[in-house]
Amino acid sequence: MASASQSEGRKTRLAEQRRKLPDGPGVYLFHDANGKVIYVGKAKSLKKRVAGHFSNPVTRGAVQMTSLIDSVDFILVGSETEALLVEQNFIKQYQPRFNIRLRDDKSYPYIAISMDEPFPRVYFTRERHRRDRVYFGPYSNAKRVRGTLDLLGKVFLFRSCQGVEPGRRTGSPCLDYYIKRCGAPCVGYVTPDEYRESIDGVVAFLSGRYREIERDLEKKMKAASIARDYEQAALERNRLRAVRSLLERQRVANESIGTVDVVAVAVDGTDANAQVFQIRDGVLSDRQSFYLENAVEREVGEVAEEFLLQYYGDQMAIPPQIIVQEDVEERDALAEALGQRRGAKVEVRAAERGDKRRILELAERNALLALDQERLKAERRRQQRVEALDGLQEALGLDALPLRIECFDISNLMGTHTVASMVVFEGGAPKKSDYRRFNVRGGEEGVPDDFAAMEEILGRRLAQWETQQDLSPHDPKRNESFATLPNLIVIDGGPGQLAAGLRALEGFRRRGVTVISLAKRIEEVFVPGRREPIVLPHDTPELQLLQRVRDEAHRFAITHHRTRRDRAMTTSILDDLPGIGPARKRTLMAHFGSPEAVLSATREQLEVVPGLPGKTARDIWTHLHRTGD
């Protein structure tokens, strides 16, 4: 009765909120019962658009979304363009689950340039949070990004060494200089201005200004030849050839087509794919393929519109023209919104004929093909997981498929900072939300005892399960990972680790949980009550699944161990420095990267650390210098 009453109250409240919505352009936000934003939308008429969500939810995703809506907020704006920009800002801020989202968007690669350094680095990264860095991307193919960086290194000779200052401690150039991959700014062979000129060339290349690069290289080659510096002329000629070879291989249209992006989207239920063909001076400079989450199963036009705003919201350079499909209706508003971001006019239009139409059709075919390939890959992965689980059930003589597998591993360094990991695979795939880390409490510090540590951790796992059984599924203290009974527990180790686990997990075994261990040497599987281990052929899916589970547990444990160890090292070394508190400690670590680098820094290097007063820097150097004596 209470549930029915709450449901009626929710419907009444929503109906009242919808009645109060204005009939004008704006942005609306749907919140769930916990106040979390689950969807952000924009509309010419807020009243009509929001009503449409409730009156005709035809897809499964739309029905699910409307059933979760607990309240509606809105912001009235002055125009459709303003609504587009406000909508994207909210999507970026709240990451709503029912909006269009780039799948795995945190892992897309970028090319970064450290413009805050005297001799900037050009490097591959998956992070994009430094305001003083220039980023190009996101790119959808890491291998192509690394290939681009390799070509750029040959043409523009930027340094590959890490750190703020270039060079090695020996004070001599590294191999890169001798194989013509770096100009050696570390020893003064290149001035800061000359090096910056090379970095400007990198920026021009990544921005698609290819003709400008060709002209500059040709000019340098002729100048070197006139000066009879034939070795330098040959080097410039080789760079010019490398650039021209790349451009000719990727030419897809007449040079007069100019600078344009062609964007096409294909949709299949909750899956979508967007293709971005970047054309610069008639050359296909890059092709990006992005898989999108389309939880509400929206149409091509709506998906494309939201993708365009997300994609170009993070771009350093927006082209003057973007070609899209006819399905995109809000082209004028999009053009105005993107023009505001670019600071110059942007034309968003559909292509009717010629090279642009041909490239758009090619992008559409690529998007459809990408969805088909993703579907086939997903089916193949599912089939491989089923085969692995079937094989594991047969090899271990289990009564049922091991649908939930938990694996435990211990990590320490000579008995210090001992930690453990628990990773979970469900249906043969990782379930990262159920991963857990443990700090080992027992044992003597500095005395390694993996058996005792494993027994402690598995005992705590069983105790957690027993505790969870007394909690309601609606209790905020309930932990679903610990509350779920596994089918199979895998221990990383041999017979000793297995014996320790069996002592701790007797309560699980009485409930039908199978416990085994996997030894690394020749991948032997040890099972209770059997003297000889099971040796599975190395090409079987069941052994490969066990190896993936074990390796993931090892990775998760060692990452936690390193974090604890580094934190302890940082605390012990840096806490003794004069004038250094938590904030300045973070500043030093962010600048130098490690405690060792801080200790070996010169006084001049300490004095240029942003946010560190000069007096404090000198006090630190004096303290370290006196300690060294």
Side-chain angles (χ1 to χ4, degrees), residues 49-152:
R49 184 72 183 95
V50 173
H53 283 289
F54 291 90
S55 63
N56 190 29
V58 293
T59 65
R60 184 174 60 183
V63 171
Q64 183 187 8
M65 182 180 76
T66 53
S67 69
L68 292 174
I69 299 171
D70 190 71
S71 63
V72 182
D73 275 346
F74 71 92
I75 294 177
L76 203 60
V77 297
S79 66
E80 292 177 49
T81 301
E82 189 180 346
L84 279 171
L85 295 172
V86 172
E87 177 195 33
Q88 282 310 302
N89 287 336
F90 279 140
I91 290 173
K92 202 170 183 179
Q93 178 181 350
Y94 295 115
Q95 296 288 302
R97 60 179 285 198
F98 290 105
N99 280 93
I100 301 298
R101 290 190 297 172
L102 292 179
R103 198 188 303 169
D104 303 322
D105 59 339
K106 291 180 182 176
S107 65
Y108 284 120
Y110 291 84
I111 292 175
I113 304 177
S114 55
M115 301 299 283
D116 55 317
E117 296 171 357
F119 294 95
R121 288 171 293 128
V122 182
Y123 61 96
F124 177 103
T125 183
R126 293 186 186 273
E127 299 175 335
R128 191 180 182 276
H129 60 276
R130 300 279 297 269
R131 291 184 179 179
D132 46 10
R133 303 272 155 109
V134 173
Y135 293 92
F136 290 89
Y139 300 103
S140 59
N141 188 306
K143 185 177 180 181
R144 283 212 304 268
V145 172
R146 296 188 193 280
T148 299
L149 283 171
D150 186 61
L151 173 66
L152 290 174

Side-chain angles (χ1 to χ4, degrees), residues 391 395 518 522-525 534-547:
L518 179 64
I522 54 173
E523 307 293 25
E524 298 166 312
V525 180
I534 299 171
V535 180
L536 299 170
H538 279 259
D539 59 350
T540 56
E542 51 268 31
L543 177 61
Q544 291 165 359
L545 174 59
L546 287 177
Q547 289 170 326

